[in-house]
Amino acid sequence: MSLGEQLLTPTKIYSRSLLPVLRSGNVKAFIHIADGGLLGGFSHILPERFSVVLNTCEWKIPSIFSWLQEEGKLSEEEMVQIFNCGIGAVLVVQREAAKQVLKDVQKHEDAWVIGKVVLRTAGYPQVEIKNLSEVLLKNKWPFLKDVSNADNQPQIIHRKHKVKVAILISGTGTSLSALLSYAKEPASCSQVVLVIANRSGVEELRNATLAGIPTRVIDHKLYGSRSEYEGTIDSVLEEFSIELICLSGFMRILSSNFLRKWYGKMLGTYPSISPSTKRINTYNQAHPSIDKIVGCTVHFVLEETSPEAIIVQEPAYTKAEDPQEALSAKIKEAENRIFPMALQLVASGMVQLGGDRKTYWKRERQELNCQEERQDC
């Protein structure tokens, strides 16, 4: 469904599907979420001494709400005051009847247990909504993928020139397969034409060869200096007319000269959504005992990590008792989802790195250029 079709979808009327449930006697209150958004709906039925706690992780918030927040530059409070965030109607029922009511509603509609009614604590809001920012962030990037395939984005789908990409790796645990798979999609604006490893015998090299991608081994141990080593990499990149580089599990530190040459054309990841997290042993550093919210970030690679050079982030939801292996797997899954999307955003021209080391979306870049032109006049 295109962006326009989603925006023009009419409000759903629930009376016919919910009438049998409403007549059952199990429903204490019914709210049709319309004016006033998710917050306003509850104000009509809650006595002052009660409040409601909603957990946005419990229902599916359509990705278009992430887009609306991004485009409108809206705060969390504004989002829930204006929009229903995917909840068209709410039934308030006793805890004992919740399971049966949910089962009955799900015969006709998508439905979830989204929260609970509690006694209100003095000084606390009557409606508390948890985890909204994290869920909106997580839902943002799948929507961008859908939009890039929509009819209203032909410049992304039918780009005549596909950007040539090289992937630099060091071993296993990379996102190579995900990047190669996405590059084969008809809507992809990039094509992977080269994989470089800094040591031989890497399984991912065999996978690239099987996929028909040329590979090169440039072993750093065979060079007397970093500049000589990077000069060889540069020569190979020029040989293949590379335009973008993806560092996927590449464990070598690149020099300032090399990074400056590829400024705005090199993408990397780190397994955290906190820019302050160090790059060494980051999967262990991302454990919930240290970071409350974990995840993965794709960014433009600079001499110094900058929070303003981020392209895509996705949080990974974990429980305190999750073992380290489970956490690492969730972060890797997030990386495999968002690294190809970040590559698509940059290759399509939707996202660029400005001269001020900040990431700009296409519209923001145009607005900035207009401001600079006005200042020059």
Side-chain angles (χ1 to χ4, degrees):
M1 184 183 292
S2 70
L3 172 60
E5 289 171 331
Q6 292 189 55
L7 292 173
L8 292 173
T9 301
T11 300
K12 193 168 189 177
I13 306 300
Y14 295 94
S15 55
R16 180 174 296 181
S17 59
L18 293 183
L19 196 56
V21 178
L22 295 173
R23 287 173 172 169
S24 69
N26 290 323
V27 179
K28 301 299 181 183
F30 169 73
I31 312 165
H32 182 219
I33 307 296
D35 294 340
L38 197 54
L39 283 182
F42 287 95
S43 63
H44 300 304
I45 60 100
L46 278 179
E48 279 295 320
R49 63 193 184 95
F50 289 105
S51 64
V52 64
V53 180
L54 306 179
N55 184 357
T56 56
C57 294
E58 299 298 331
W59 78 87
K60 183 179 180 181
I61 298 182
S63 298
I64 192 170
F65 289 104
S66 300
W67 179 84
L68 288 168
Q69 184 189 37
E70 175 78 18
E71 291 297 306
K73 303 187 185 305
L74 302 175
S75 66
E76 284 186 54
E77 186 176 0
E78 289 171 322
M79 286 296 296
V80 294
Q81 286 177 339
I82 300 171
F83 303 112
N84 65 21
C85 296
I87 298 296
V90 176
L91 302 178
V92 180
V93 303
Q94 287 185 329
R95 184 189 300 271
E96 296 77 14
K99 189 174 182 179
Q100 183 59 50
V101 171
L102 181 65
K103 183 178 179 181
D104 292 340
V105 174
Q106 286 177 335
K107 294 176 182 177
H108 309 283
E109 307 286 352
D110 291 331
W112 310 267
V113 176
I114 64 172
K116 58 185 178 180
V117 177
V118 297
L119 287 174
R120 188 176 183 182
T121 303
Y124 280 75
Q126 195 165 27
V127 180
E128 181 183 358
I129 300 178
K130 295 183 175 181
N131 303 312
L132 180 61
S133 60
E134 290 86 352
V135 174
L136 289 174
L137 177 63
K138 183 177 181 180
N139 289 351
K140 178 178 179 180
W141 312 112
F143 178 74
L144 288 173
K145 180 177 179 180
D146 293 339
V147 170
S148 71
N149 290 325
D151 293 338
N152 63 333
Q153 297 288 338
Q155 72 274 19
I156 296 177
I157 298 176
H158 303 297
R159 185 178 180 127
K160 293 181 180 179
H161 166 71
K162 288 201 171 189
V163 175
K164 293 183 178 180
V165 177
I167 302 175
L168 274 59
I169 64 174
S170 288
T172 57
T174 74
S175 295
L176 179 65
S177 296
L179 291 167
L180 292 180
S181 177
Y182 193 86
K184 293 178 181 178
E185 294 288 334
S188 173
C189 294
S190 62
Q191 57 175 332
V192 179
V193 299
L194 176 65
V195 175
I196 297 177
N198 68 310
R199 58 190 181 91
S200 59
V202 176
E203 184 179 352
E204 297 283 37
L205 286 176
R206 290 191 287 272
N207 295 337
T209 300
L210 290 173
I213 308 298
T215 63
R216 295 288 187 275
V217 175
I218 305 177
D219 192 337
H220 60 281
K221 296 179 181 178
L222 302 180
Y223 295 86
S225 66
R226 184 185 298 178
S227 61
E228 186 183 356
Y229 169 63
E230 292 177 349
T232 303
I233 294 178
D234 234 352
S235 297
V236 176
L237 295 175
E238 290 178 5
E239 176 188 344
F240 284 84
S241 302
I242 298 301
E243 298 165 272
L244 284 176
I245 299 173
C246 291
L247 304 182
S248 185
F250 186 67
M251 304 304 292
R252 301 302 303 169
I253 296 175
L254 297 168
S255 70
S256 297
N257 288 337
F258 191 88
L259 294 177
R260 282 196 292 267
K261 178 174 182 178
W262 289 94
Y263 181 89
K265 299 177 182 179
M266 188 184 302
L267 282 58
T269 69
Y270 51 82
S272 169
I273 56 174
S274 171
S276 61
T277 301
K278 301 298 183 183
R279 295 296 301 276
I280 300 174
N281 201 20
T282 41
Y283 282 102
N284 288 333
Q285 291 184 7
H287 197 274
S289 62
I290 299 176
D291 283 346
K292 199 169 185 180
I293 302 173
V294 301
C296 180
T297 297
V298 185
H299 60 101
F300 287 107
V301 179
L302 301 171
E303 295 174 67
E304 294 183 6
T305 302
S306 169
E308 295 180 309
I310 289 171
I311 305 168
V312 181
Q313 289 185 306
E314 181 175 317
Y317 299 101
T318 61
K319 298 179 181 179
E321 62 270 20
D322 282 350
Q324 184 64 48
E325 295 76 14
L327 174 62
S328 299
K330 288 182 179 180
I331 294 176
K332 178 52 65 177
E333 289 172 5
E335 180 180 324
N336 287 338
R337 282 192 296 270
I338 66 174
F339 205 168
M341 178 53 57
L343 176 58
Q344 173 75 349
L345 291 171
V346 176
S348 67
M350 289 183 68
V351 170
Q352 296 178 342
L353 183 66
D356 54 0
R357 297 162 49 92
K358 295 181 181 180
T359 297
Y360 288 94
W361 289 75
K362 187 175 182 179
R363 191 181 69 177
E364 293 176 325
R365 183 74 256 176
Q366 291 170 341
E367 291 174 352
L368 184 63
N369 289 340
C370 289
Q371 292 174 6
E372 291 173 348
E373 289 174 3
R374 285 195 293 269
Q375 291 173 358
D376 292 338
C377 293

